[in-house]
Amino acid sequence: LERAGPPYDQPEILSYHASLSSYYRDDVTRWTSHCVVVADMSGSMRVDDVDGARCRSDGMWASIARDLVRRPLEAGLRSPSDLLSVVAMHEGGATVLVQCEPTGWVLYDRLCELSEWTTMRPGGHGNYGPALEEAERLLKMGESNESCAVALCFFSDGRPSDRGDFAGRTGDLAKRFGRRLSVMCIGMASQSSAPESDFRMLQNMSEEAGRFGSVAKFGRPSQMSASSISTLVSTVASSITVAQTELTDVLGRKGEIRTDVTREQITGNEHITGGKGGCADGDRPTDDGSWIIYGKKGDEDGRAVLDCWTWGFERNDFILVGERRCFGCWKDTLKRSRNDYVVCSRCGIARFCNDECYHNTTDCHDCDQYLMRKMERTILSPLEGDVMPSYEVAIKTAFFGEGAERIVRKLRFLDKDGQFIGSPMVAKESRFVKERKKTTEEEMAYHKEFFRTQSISSKLADTFNAEINKIYNELSPSIRRNISPYPNIRFLEPMILTIGDVELGGPRGEYDLLIEPMLEGKYEKFNNNMGYVKRSGSRGERGGDGKRERIKNHGRDQLLSNFETIQFPFPGEGRSIHALMDRNLFFPTPFPGRTSQGEIFSLRGMDSVGTLGIIEEGDGNNENHDHGGNDNREISFPKDELHFTTDLDDSPISDGHICPNSCDYEIPQAFSHFTYVRSRGEVMVVDLQGVATRTEEGNIKCFELTDPVVHMRDDNGTKDEPKKSWRGAFGRTNRGKEGMKAFFQSHRCSGICQKLGLCEIKLDH
């Protein structure tokens, strides 16, 4: 390694670094990240089997200095507020060599010096216990800073010399920090030089951390080389960067993670909504305090489901679901026939058990409000049992999943005997402190981000499904008998439950809970909002009869490659593709709020709440403005600001080669590509995650997805209008054009893209 050298070895710089270290140690609120490295300095680390390094120890220190400090600094991804600590693991116990030092070139030189053995030489046994204890202490130092990303990087070249529940202790750390903790356990011996049993403890440590929602991995180089070790350590640096991105909103403000969270240990192999299925639940809630029961409305404890809301796409707003319970005694009318309950003769929505309840309690509901909502189409008829089996629910106190925006726990509907009924559900809440301290209007506005994103994604999915189904349906019957249809894309349909709870509901005594069906099966991430794209494997690796799938799907690709009559035109040919997207799909005519001239429309619901404001770049008066202010203003946009059009003559697409090969796992990537093209580059739907449901033969039938991300391109503005940024329109995960560019840097077009008329795209500017 080359040291940074002058001027970073001068007394003035060293003195400044020391004062900077004290500055950050004295106040943990200044930290943006803290990585703790446990470095194995046992005798076996002196073995000379690392290509490109003198020994294992030298390769380890070189990678720590290069991949955790130098490269992130050169890329502009680290600053002095990103701290690093190093614990040496040796026979005598553990020694803290670096404690909470700011990332900089002085720290880099110091790590280079450690590889020279002037401070410590490898020797003796490696004891996990003392080293892990020091790592725990260092990580907990910044626990009170909820917006600080933390990481543990644990190096070892073999099994521990001491005994202890090291996996359990790592799990306790993950239970405490959740998703903002990244854990990387690195086995410093090649797969050929040491048996796998030597690294069983490291594997167990990473797996236990993953069971509590942390981003945890175990890595072992296929061959001992400096580059292989560097690849593993770079994973830690990348995880820290991703965690920092998740903790920062689009205006650069740090978000505070909630600390009032108990995490449930994940067991089994079933992945559900961002994590594995959690612990088995039995057939009813247990009495050990792990469930909160919300019973009949009007109970003394005040814990009940008050209202239910769904989303109206045409209105771009929430719609209240009509009350199914009797307004007199609050009994559910679900299993009664139409003749067994009474409907209010005036509003035609409110229900009553019988005539007696109706006549005794006619003033208990606001008919005028129901009538007004009915005329405005902001209220639906009561939901039936397949959607909402009952109004009594049980919610798990512990969370089993955690994403960039939300944390997830289980919700079950209960019958009159208190047993679980209906399909399992998940309840989603913000993982940030700020969103939990809101009024009713602000909390609903926060949920609008999710509903709007999911709704737009669902509409684009409908259009995408229509096109890939059209490709299949236009084949001759004889061909269709021998090939399987392409899988469809489907996004879950969420609801909002307004929960009455004096203890947990804050000053207003209630809170709004986002719920949706639980995805059962293997939960997978097909792409994300940072540019990751899941590569497809061979067609025989998708379940079922591998040989049959290879033949069947290969036949489909081969047949479709010659099916020119359904080939859609490429951009630049001067032809419109009206079959692919209705101009008025997203903003129907007349769109609510459109002016009589039709030049301006407003997106209701895009209120400037939280991160939903518009950033006007170029107005000097906004330099210090808090764009997350709760002014509840309605924001108006030019009519063409969001245009989902079919005319691709001027679309920003460059001609490129088209890959002919495809398999079903290319469908999600083709969908993301499709959303960009069919919106003329205005939006892109990514972060596709969920479950691939299969037919009895093992073929993928549908991708059931949830929690997508919409990247939305900024408006460049005109000489008369300032540039506007839409980065806050779909939450903190909307990365705009940068997110789109990251996707296309990873995406490779498949045969599915070809059949949809999609070309490879480069967004270099």
Side-chain angles (χ1 to χ4, degrees), residues 13 51 63 79 88 160 182 251 259 282 323 366 401 524 543 545 556 639 685:
I13 299 296
D51 185 20
S63 185
S79 69
S182 302
L251 301 177
T259 56
E323 181 67 69
D366 191 341
E524 299 179 79
D545 186 345
R556 175 179 63 189
K639 180 177 64 176
V685 181

Side-chain angles (χ1 to χ4, degrees), residues 343-351 365-368 370-371 374:
V343 178
C344 177
S345 60
R346 186 162 179 247
C347 69
I349 294 179
R351 293 184 182 182
H365 75 286
D366 191 341
C367 272
D368 291 335
Y370 268 32
L371 281 169
K374 195 173 182 180

